Amino acid sequence: MNHATDAFPAAIGDSYHMGFTVGEHSAGHMRRILRLFLAAWDIAELSDAAELALTELVSNVVRHVPGRGCAVLILRRPEGLRVEVTDGCPHPPRVPGGGKDPLTEDGRGMLLIEAIADRWGTLPRATGKTVWFECDV
């Protein structure tokens, strides 16, 4: 299930923002959108890391957010790229550590993002949260 709540932009600017209801196969569609923007912005060298990180964030929405609604922001920055995924679930993503079993499946995607992105974090919102990552050129 993929349901876009906004229209695709007529021209490629420095950002892209769209609301989605995501499903099991949505990450592939999101990767294609991201790849188009990175190529247009002449920073395609960020594709592998950015696509993998975006896949993890979209997968978290599919697994943990009731209704599976989210908004995705792709933003060209002078030093590279910022991607944000905002959803209606207030709970921040879990990262293994603090005595937890490192082999547990929960949180491994965030460890992956930590390893491939230059920065990442979570911003609490009144009705959920935004999880973001940045990749530098």
Side-chain angles (χ1 to χ4, degrees), residues 20-40:
F20 292 93
T21 301
V22 294
E24 299 296 327
H25 302 288
S26 296
H29 301 292
M30 301 282 191
R31 285 192 302 268
R32 282 189 288 281
I33 292 168
L34 179 59
R35 197 175 314 124
L36 287 170
F37 278 87
L38 294 177

Side-chain angles (χ1 to χ4, degrees), residues 17 57 71-73 82-93 120-133:
H17 184 265
L57 295 184
V72 175
L73 171 66
R82 179 179 176 107
V83 175
E84 299 181 357
V85 176
T86 301
D87 63 53
C89 181
H91 307 295
W120 77 275
T122 303
L123 302 170
R125 303 284 184 205
T127 58
K129 68 178 172 306
T130 296
V131 183
W132 59 270
F133 67 87

